[in-house]
């Protein structure tokens, strides 16, 4: 038996170029849409009209666009929070919890001082409290990781549910609005609400500023460089004289603080109250957004926009079909798009070389 | 005493979804793959099993055999979740994507899949996605004969459960035996500890990783089936399974990646989950009880990393992809 050359060999690609890489990614998005079209057909709908209605529902009118942006803001914010941690290969999947803690801290000040402080003082204090709270919550697993090597993926994951549990306790207990029994926290007074600009919360601008900040932070600062080195190899970083533990703890503070800010934006600019779904899964979806954007903040803008359009579009479809196509179809479609885009990264990084006939003949 | 017995039984009933999920995830993680898609897999298994039974009974009407309905539900739940894990396995093992991100994508997809089809078929069933009473009885009926169940205290504690619980415990024993006593089980662990060495020793790393991930995923799917059929009474309700998968991931740590510890660990977690309904003397708010499993897990996680006992560590290559060419 002669040994055959394998049918497919893999070789690392030389740099494909940003343009070509994005073309492959966009093709993969279409692949997901086509796969999902099959499902839509199988439940008896016309995929083209469903997709058209989705886009109409997401972008068809100024009001729809506003609602889409409302979905996009926390998602983009969450993915920005993930960027520095993931760049360092610190798998922070606790953004969900860090957003929640940010929301709790902001809400504490809102509920306590909304009738005594003017907006100009209260909002900055809420903002700061949220950032510090989220940052400290993010730092906790980092300290253990730096000191004892505690697995950060699992630690940050557990902290999510602890934070969410605390909110559940607060909204059913000490912070519950009167009359009791609603399991809800009262809506903030006007002083604790962020103003709207063009129908969308001013928090959008905070997130936009964060996009630019994060882009520059990772690319042009010394700290950003340290993060990249630690991410590539902790040993190298140590030899280069970088205090790895300090970088890990500091970066996780930054990551958590950004997540905390997102919590502030959600409670003060979007929901005007705190609930256990303040993060609502964006901490998890944000991870995939950040990863697919190659941890590039500019790319995150586009991918979070795409997912926001899908989410808003799916809720429109749900209304249009009178619940026959449940809203959760956006999750499924999001999942499919994530799978396809993840798979596409492989084709961006590697080249497949098929076994050729001539070679076999030559043997 | 009666209180304790009832509490224990309720904890076992509550914990079995987690036990399935945990055992599936242990199998997956022992091969070095951290599949954060357990939450999604439980949803996929639960909804698919229920829907398969529902469609079968709907098609045959009164002629449907309850036993066949149960068998179909089992196959559907296992296959749906195994296929979901196959997707994860293909992406992480063959296409070398990041395990955390892919697992989360699987959770997003799986929860969406479960909720979508659950809701959709509830619409098809006219507002109810439910299995027949006869089939439901098979799930809830105690498996063992009455003379065993009638033994005071012990009978209720040990012999009063339905077949899915004993099946799960059996899986745990088989897994423990497999890891410790069989050559193939040791190879699997070698793959999870150090794939490069395992590869050099002639173990087919890819095959082990694929098989462990898909089988493990299928077992997680059975956890979903248990939840819809036993805890949910064979009835779909939206969002009911929320968070079970994450608890299972937590329980894997609590169990220190050991199948038999997962058995009693799931009872402990089940107890923590229902304690708020039964133990109210201490004036601790119910929501604080509900975060206890996560707090306990964090404490375990920290203490194993501080004590650094070798036999208590996660599989060494957990979460790290293996490429032969990039050693």
């Amino acid at each position: 038996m002669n040994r055959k050359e394998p049918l497919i060999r893999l070789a690392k690609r030389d740099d494909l170029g940003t343009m070509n890489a994005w073309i492959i990614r966009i093709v993969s998005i279409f692949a997901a849409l086509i796969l999902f079209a099959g499902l839509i057909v199988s439940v008896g709908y016309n995929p083209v009209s469903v997709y058209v209605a989705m886009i109409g529902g997401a972008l068809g009118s100024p009001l729809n666009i506003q609602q889409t942006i409302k979905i996009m803001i926390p998602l983009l914010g969450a993915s920005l929070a993930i960027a520095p941690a993931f760049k360092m290969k610190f798998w922070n999947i606790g953004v969900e919890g860090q957003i929640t803690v940010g929301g709790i801290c902001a809400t504490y000040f809102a509920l306590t001082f909304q009738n005594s402080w003017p907006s100009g003082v209260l909002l900055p204090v809420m903002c700061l409290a949220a950032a510090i709270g989220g940052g400290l919550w993010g730092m906790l697993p980092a300290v253990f990781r730096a000191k004892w090597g505690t697995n950060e993926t699992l630690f940050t994951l557990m902290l999510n549910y602890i934070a969410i549990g605390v909110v559940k306790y607060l909204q059913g207990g000490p912070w519950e609005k009167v009359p009791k029994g609603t399991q809800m926290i009262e809506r903030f007074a006007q002083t604790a609400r962020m103003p709207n600009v063009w129908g969308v919360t001013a928090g959008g601008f905070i997130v936009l500023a964060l996009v630019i900040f994060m882009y520059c932070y990772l690319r042009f600062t010394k700290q950003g460089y340290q993060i990249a080195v630690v991410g590539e190899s902790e040993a190298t970083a140590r030899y280069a004289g970088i205090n790895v533990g300090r970088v890990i703890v500091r970066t996780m503070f930054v990551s958590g603080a950004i997540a905390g800010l997102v919590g502030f934006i959600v409670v003060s600019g979007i929901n005007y109250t705190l609930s256990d779904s303040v993060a609502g899964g964006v901490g998890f979806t944000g991870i995939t957004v950040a990863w697919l954007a190659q941890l590039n903040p500019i790319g995150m803008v586009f991918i979070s926009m795409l997912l926001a359009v899908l989410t808003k579009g799916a809720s429109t479809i749900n209304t249009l079909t009178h619940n026959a196509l449940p809203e959760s179809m956006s999750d499924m479609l999001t999942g499919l798009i994530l799978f396809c885009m993840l798979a596409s990264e492989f084709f961006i990084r590697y080249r497949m070389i098929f076994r050729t006939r001539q070679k076999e003949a030559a043997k | 005493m009666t209180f304790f017995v009832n509490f224990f039984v309720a904890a076992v009933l509550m914990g079995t979804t987690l036990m399935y999920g945990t055992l599936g995830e242990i199998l997956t993680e022992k091969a070095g793959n951290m599949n954060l898609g357990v939450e999604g897999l439980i949803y996929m298994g639960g909804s698919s099993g229920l829907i398969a039974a529902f469609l079968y009974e709907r098609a045959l009407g009164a002629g449907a055999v309850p036993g066949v309905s149960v068998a179909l539900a089992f196959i559907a739940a296992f296959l749906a979740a195994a296929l979901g894990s196959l997707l994860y396995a293909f992406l992480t093992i063959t296409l070398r994507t990041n395990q955390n991100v892919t697992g989360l994508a699987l959770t997003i997809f799986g929860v969406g899949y479960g909720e979508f089809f659950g809701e959709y078929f509830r619409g098809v069933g006219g507002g109810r996605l439910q299995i027949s009473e006869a089939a439901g009885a098979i799930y809830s009926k105690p498996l063992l004969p009455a003379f065993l169940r009638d033994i005071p205290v012990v009978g209720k504690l040990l012999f009063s459960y339905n077949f899915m619980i004993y099946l799960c415990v059996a899986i745990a024993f088989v897994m423990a035996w497999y890891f410790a006593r069989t050559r193939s089980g040791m190879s699997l662990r070698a793959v999870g500890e150090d794939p490069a060495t395992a590869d050099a020793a002639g173990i087919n790393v890819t095959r082990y990783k694929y098989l462990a991930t898909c089988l493990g995923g299928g077992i997680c799917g059975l956890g979903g089936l248990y939840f819809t059929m036993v805890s949910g009474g064979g009835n779909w309700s939206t969002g009911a399974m929320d968070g079970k998968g994450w608890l299972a991931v937590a329980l894997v740590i609590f169990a220190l990646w050991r199948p038999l510890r997962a058995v009693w660990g799931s009872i402990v977690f089940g107890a923590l989950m229902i304690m708020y309904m039964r133990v109210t003397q201490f004036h601790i708010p119910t929501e604080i009880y509900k975060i206890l499993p996560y707090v306990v897990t964090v404490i375990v996680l920290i203490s194993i990393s501080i004590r650094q006992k070798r036999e208590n560590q996660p599989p060494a290559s957990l979460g790290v992809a293996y490429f032969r060419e990039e050693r």
Side-chain angles (χ1 to χ4, degrees), chain A residues 12 39 43 91 148 150 153 155 158 161 165 168-169 287 291 324 326 328-329 332 339 342 346 349-350, chain B residues 87 91 95-98 100 104 109 113 115-117 119-120 246 250 285 291 294 298 301 305-306 326:
Chain A
K12 261 214 159 134
L39 181 101
V43 295
W91 309 115
W148 290 294
T150 311
T153 317
F155 200 150
M158 296 306 121
Y161 296 96
K168 282 187 177 156
Y169 159 67
I287 290 171
W291 189 256
S328 37
M329 81 176 212
M332 233 166 110
F339 285 142
L342 281 167
F346 177 80
R349 272 184 295 138
Y350 297 93
Chain B
L87 195 58
L91 285 167
L95 297 189
R96 306 168 183 188
T97 58
N98 179 288
N100 294 325
L104 288 173
F109 175 80
Y113 169 101
E115 295 285 17
F116 179 86
F117 286 112
E119 285 297 304
Y120 178 78
W246 295 121
I291 62 174
Y294 300 108
V298 165
L301 192 60
S305 65
I306 291 178
E326 288 179 11

Side-chain angles (χ1 to χ4, degrees), chain B residues 9-29:
Chain B
V9 170
V12 172
L13 286 172
M14 193 69 195
T16 304
T17 304
L18 303 183
M19 208 197 302
Y20 274 109
T22 305
L23 290 174
E25 182 69 4
I26 287 177
L27 186 58
T28 310
E29 289 193 10

Side-chain angles (χ1 to χ4, degrees), chain A residues 36-50 317 321 324-326 329, chain B residues 116-117 120-121 124:
Chain A
F36 196 69
L39 181 101
I40 299 176
V41 171
S42 71
V43 295
Y45 285 86
N46 178 352
V48 177
S49 51
V50 166
I317 294 290
T321 58
L325 283 182
M329 81 176 212
Chain B
F116 179 86
F117 286 112
Y120 178 78
F121 281 101
V124 171

Side-chain angles (χ1 to χ4, degrees), chain B residues 5 35 37 74 81 106 232 290 292:
Chain B
V5 171
N35 187 353
F74 253 80
L106 180 59
K290 288 188 193 166
L292 278 179

Side-chain angles (χ1 to χ4, degrees), chain A residues 17 37 79 87 114 124 155 177 226 242 260 262 311 328 330 345 362:
Chain A
S79 47
K87 186 108 189 172
Q114 60 186 358
F155 200 150
K177 70 178 173 190
Q226 288 177 332
I242 295 173
V262 175
T311 311
S328 37
S330 75
E345 294 305 319

